[in-house]
Amino acid sequence: MDTHSFFGLTASGFAATEQTIAGQSPRRRSLSRTIYSGLLAAVMGLGALEGAIASPTPHRTIASSAASSAASPAASPTLLTSISSETAAPNAQLPTTLPAQPQQIARNRAQSEVRSIWLDRETIVNARNAEGLAQIYEDFRAAGINTGFVESVIACYTIYPSDVAPEQNRLTRDWDPLQAAVDLGKVYDMEVHAWVWLFAVGNRAHNRILGQPESYPGPILSARPDWAGFDNQGNLIIPGKPKPFMDPANPEVRQYLIDLIDEIATRYDIDGIQMDYVRYPFQDAVANRTFGYGTAAREQFYELTGVDPVNIPSRNGGDRRLARLWSQWTHFRAQQVSTFVAEASAHLRQHHPGLTLSAAVFADNSYYRHHAIQQNWEDWADQGLLDWIVLMSYADSTQEFSDLIEPWVMESSFYSTQIIPGIRLLNLPAAEARNQIELLRELPVGGYALFAADNLDGEVRSMLAGVNVEGSAIASKQED
């Protein structure tokens, strides 16, 4: 009997199964994903994994010179095994679960309502010095804000003098905004969390500000082009998108990021680390615009399956074998992101156990995120890898806001990981922002996050002062 028919894993079956899992509760979803991945492994066979355990295949050497490592996917002939070749190993098993360790379990926070705001780079740069930043913190205090996510690493530039990152933002070289934020946090009794961009390491908009050409990939990928991710056409940046991304499958990339967040946690007396851009760039498989084809990712996937992923079409025309391979490739990329979160969490829990760990993530449904950006954050929450999930649930109306967050705050439960929905202030009337905050106070959430300080004008500050006084009064009554 055809094994695909036996397990129901047809091309349409993959999509139907994943959509069904996406709509389940977290506990059932986590179990279903494990069972589903196990069935995939059973269909694919276990021989390759067992062989790898018995005699690991040496990892291929990747040239680190700019000339060799900047090559696009089409420039690696040794990897270009045809998808139609019989060398495509059907007996490959991809990692399906994250390491579960006691120190990774999210900690319960006794803090009352989290009233947080993203303190963005532009606001920090415009402050010019510690005195200017103090005025911003005074505005935060007046508005009732108690937590700030301070943008500390943006597009690979740090706002502080770093021994790990290649370059500090030249507009903050005359002072250390992160240290100033830590000092002001103590004065104003506000938590300070370092907000760190991870896999996105450039920005064409920032290039103009810094006087660099639009094509400049940033100091990291200029020095280490072998760390880059590519799209399926060999482009460093997907056409129409502004940011280059590193390859999450590259061990050196992962270690660099661990070293970077460890440097921040060691050097500064912060209260937390918030990870951003914990994903791949947005893709559209239907339009044949996909990403993740870095050298390391391609080599690792080839070793698992015998197939170079650049040769797997995102549109399979009903071919079950191609559908299975595409599903494997999508799961492989999602696992690169999820296992990095697990590694970062384990490191910080062990070496900096007092920190609150969070991630800024999209509030879209699971199925869409898995296929578009490979960001399965509910798995991270299910396993207690993070303390807070901060949703970028940006909406122009309260009804739209409610529709975005309801699946995550009313229909889901993530043990001790708190859900903190985000509200975008840009072009949002103060009255509408108030409505969204008041909605959250009727829901089981940890608080709210405002994006961003750059949009905290006088009207919004006045609204927040009033709504937060009311919130404090309600909390006091509940305690009594």
Side-chain angles (χ1 to χ4, degrees), residues 97-142:
T97 58
L98 306 183
Q101 300 178 18
Q103 70 267 25
Q104 292 176 309
I105 301 303
R107 293 163 292 115
N108 286 310
R109 280 285 179 179
Q111 180 182 359
S112 57
E113 181 183 54
V114 176
R115 302 168 181 171
S116 59
I117 192 166
W118 280 284
L119 177 51
D120 55 284
R121 175 200 57 83
E122 185 173 359
T123 299
I124 293 170
V125 168
N126 290 338
R128 297 181 180 276
N129 51 44
E131 291 73 20
L133 195 61
Q135 182 56 56
I136 293 167
Y137 269 75
E138 180 62 32
D139 291 341
F140 290 168
R141 182 202 61 76

Side-chain angles (χ1 to χ4, degrees), residues 8 15 94 319:
L94 299 182
D319 186 304

Side-chain angles (χ1 to χ4, degrees), residues 128-431:
R128 297 181 180 276
N129 51 44
E131 291 73 20
L133 195 61
Q135 182 56 56
I136 293 167
Y137 269 75
E138 180 62 32
D139 291 341
F140 290 168
R141 182 202 61 76
I145 301 297
N146 59 24
T147 303
F149 303 127
V150 181
E151 195 161 24
S152 304
V153 182
I154 177 171
C156 92
Y157 295 94
T158 61
I159 64 166
Y160 66 92
S162 173
D163 295 326
V164 176
E167 192 171 332
Q168 182 180 356
N169 187 315
R170 66 184 62 175
L171 301 178
T172 65
R173 288 178 183 170
D174 294 335
W175 61 303
D176 185 341
L178 185 52
Q179 184 59 57
V182 168
D183 295 340
L184 289 166
K186 298 181 187 305
V187 172
Y188 288 93
D189 193 26
M190 286 182 57
E191 288 197 7
V192 174
H193 298 226
W195 162 22
V196 179
W197 289 31
L198 294 182
F199 296 115
V201 286
N203 192 330
R204 287 176 171 173
H206 297 169
N207 287 346
R208 292 192 292 271
I209 296 173
L210 298 173
Q212 295 286 359
E214 186 178 85
S215 60
Y216 181 58
I220 285 183
L221 295 184
S222 292
R224 294 300 305 267
D226 54 312
W227 288 9
F230 295 94
D231 73 3
N232 55 329
Q233 303 300 318
N235 299 305
L236 181 64
I237 301 177
I238 295 177
K241 304 295 182 182
K243 303 177 182 73
F245 277 66
M246 295 191 292
D247 180 3
N250 189 309
E252 292 183 339
V253 166
R254 297 162 78 96
Q255 188 59 54
Y256 165 78
L257 292 173
I258 294 291
D259 291 344
L260 186 63
I261 59 179
D262 182 78
E263 175 185 60
I264 295 171
T266 300
R267 185 180 297 180
Y268 296 94
D269 187 17
I270 55 175
D271 299 288
I273 292 280
Q274 180 173 105
M275 297 182 284
D276 196 5
Y277 289 93
V278 201
R279 59 178 178 85
Y280 287 80
F282 276 93
Q283 304 142 66
D284 185 349
V286 175
N288 196 33
R289 296 174 60 181
T290 60
F291 196 89
Y293 303 88
T295 304
R298 293 174 65 196
E299 288 184 351
Q300 291 172 30
F301 191 79
Y302 182 86
E303 289 174 358
L304 284 166
T305 66
V307 177
D308 182 352
V310 80
N311 288 324
I312 305 173
S314 57
R315 295 170 292 186
N316 55 66
D319 186 304
R320 291 178 299 184
R321 179 169 173 273
L322 293 180
R324 183 179 74 247
L325 284 167
W326 181 255
S327 182
Q328 270 199 290
W329 172 234
T330 302
H331 278 278
F332 172 85
R333 286 175 292 159
Q335 283 296 299
Q336 305 315 304
V337 177
S338 292
T339 55
F340 175 79
V341 173
E343 291 169 13
S345 175
H347 178 89
L348 290 170
R349 297 282 195 231
Q350 179 180 357
H351 298 284
H352 308 281
L355 293 183
T356 297
L357 310 184
S358 68
V361 302
F362 285 93
D364 303 272
N365 68 74
S366 300
Y367 181 81
Y368 174 76
R369 279 183 287 103
H370 179 69
H371 289 275
I373 55 176
Q374 292 77 55
Q375 186 183 70
N376 296 343
W377 61 258
E378 57 271 46
D379 289 348
W380 317 340
D382 282 339
Q383 298 186 46
L385 301 178
L386 301 173
D387 300 300
W388 297 350
I389 289 291
V390 185
L391 296 177
M392 294 184 285
S393 44
Y394 307 147
D396 296 329
S397 71
T398 303
Q399 184 58 57
E400 182 186 358
F401 182 65
S402 177
D403 292 343
L404 269 176
I405 67 175
E406 183 176 346
W408 310 120
V409 302
M410 295 300 291
E411 302 170 12
S412 303
S413 175
F414 297 109
Y415 304 101
S416 56
T417 300
Q418 293 193 65
I419 300 296
I420 301 177
I423 299 170
R424 182 178 57 197
L425 297 176
L426 179 65
N427 298 325
L428 189 69

